[in-house]
Amino acid sequence: AQSVTQLGSHVSVSEGALVLLRCNYSSSVPPYLFWYVQYPNQGLQLLLKYTSAATLVKGINGFEAEFKKSETSFHLTKPSAHMSDAAEYFCAVGDAGNNRKLIWGLGTSLAVNP
Amino acid sequence: DAGVIQSPRHEVTEMGQEVTLRCKPISGHNSLFWYRQTMMRGLELLIYFNNNVPIDDSGMPEDRFSAKMPNASFSTLKIQPSEPRDSAVYFCASRDHRNIYGYTFGSGTRLTVV
């Protein structure tokens, strides 16, 4: 069965500092991996996705993630945090079965301090 | 495209009352998903439809919950009778079969049962 673990339910960084949100996955087949962002009182938006092409994936708003098979990780990074990055971030793995559902992590809340 | 449209945005109801949440998916998307989001359990998939047919309702918590998709442009999630533990944000998402992991989420309905 596939699963996703997000390490750290809350992360706090200073404005301008590096953002690192951790995600580890478990999958018996090559995974499709996703990061979504949820701003307050809004739905989820796709930040980026890995679908077995380049291992370094660039997304919107300056975010990127690197797929590391040996570490079963797909950590999300941004070199310099902005106040507007404060949000909830979800990592997800695509169900390898026919139904192609997303299996979600519990989310990481990112706070950005001035 | 207006995106996935959910109504109402907020619902406050008394315990025991019937609650109906509505969703209009993106035109042309053939899959529709209902999710529930709570602090304790994160994002839970309740049910999803392909071509208006329910495919997997294993996430529906109990018989008080029911979902329908009478046509490709409309779905409802009904709770009858509602209980305080049903308080959550309910999201609808739709997907195009040509982009199997391309989910678009609505802004959610925040349900409070008092």
Side-chain angles (χ1 to χ4, degrees):
Chain A
Q2 294 174 299
S3 66
V4 172
T5 302
Q6 291 185 240
L7 300 174
S9 58
H10 297 279
V11 171
S12 182
V13 301
S14 297
E15 191 173 19
L18 171 71
V19 175
L20 171 60
L21 305 182
R22 300 178 187 274
C23 173
N24 288 88
Y25 70 91
S26 172
S27 178
S28 59
V29 297
Y32 285 7
L33 294 161
F34 306 82
W35 277 100
Y36 279 78
V37 61
Q38 183 181 25
Y39 297 105
N41 300 314
Q42 294 187 28
L44 283 76
Q45 303 174 33
L46 181 65
L47 262 182
L48 50 80
K49 62 182 177 183
Y50 167 77
T51 56
S52 74
T55 56
L56 182 62
V57 181
K58 295 187 183 299
I60 62 172
N61 301 337
F63 283 93
E64 61 183 36
E66 185 172 9
F67 171 68
K68 292 187 177 180
K69 183 178 179 180
S70 61
E71 299 177 8
T72 61
S73 69
F74 191 57
H75 301 332
L76 182 70
T77 60
K78 182 174 180 177
S80 176
H82 192 272
M83 297 294 289
S84 60
D85 295 326
E88 189 87 13
Y89 291 81
F90 293 89
C91 182
V93 61
D95 186 341
N98 292 331
N99 297 324
R100 300 295 193 267
K101 295 183 295 184
L102 287 180
I103 298 164
W104 298 89
L106 292 179
T108 298
S109 177
L110 175 66
V112 181
N113 305 311
Chain B
D1 196 325
V4 176
I5 300 173
Q6 290 187 246
S7 63
R9 287 297 307 273
H10 302 274
E11 176 80 32
V12 180
T13 190
E14 291 185 347
M15 181 174 64
Q17 296 297 307
E18 177 180 293
V19 175
T20 299
L21 311 181
R22 296 172 175 80
C23 175
K24 176 178 169 55
I26 289 177
S27 177
H29 283 193
N30 67 327
S31 296
L32 184 140
F33 302 77
W34 281 103
Y35 284 91
R36 179 172 66 178
Q37 185 180 40
T38 61
M39 290 292 290
M40 293 299 294
R41 292 188 296 272
L43 269 170
E44 302 173 276
L45 177 64
L46 300 177
I47 185 171
Y48 81 97
F49 297 83
N50 271 355
N51 297 317
N52 313 336
V53 176
I55 300 300
D56 182 356
D57 65 354
S58 59
M60 296 285 263
E62 50 198 273
D63 292 345
R64 297 184 297 107
F65 286 68
S66 62
K68 294 182 179 179
M69 192 165 186
N71 57 62
S73 59
F74 184 66
S75 177
T76 59
L77 178 67
K78 185 175 293 187
I79 308 172
Q80 166 63 22
S82 58
E83 297 182 3
R85 60 194 169 116
D86 302 330
S87 298
V89 181
Y90 291 81
F91 287 103
C92 176
S94 69
R95 183 185 73 185
D96 182 347
H97 71 281
R98 295 166 296 180
N99 184 6
I100 56 173
Y101 289 115
Y103 291 72
T104 302
F105 281 79
S107 298
T109 294
R110 182 174 295 277
L111 174 65
T112 304
V113 183
V114 298

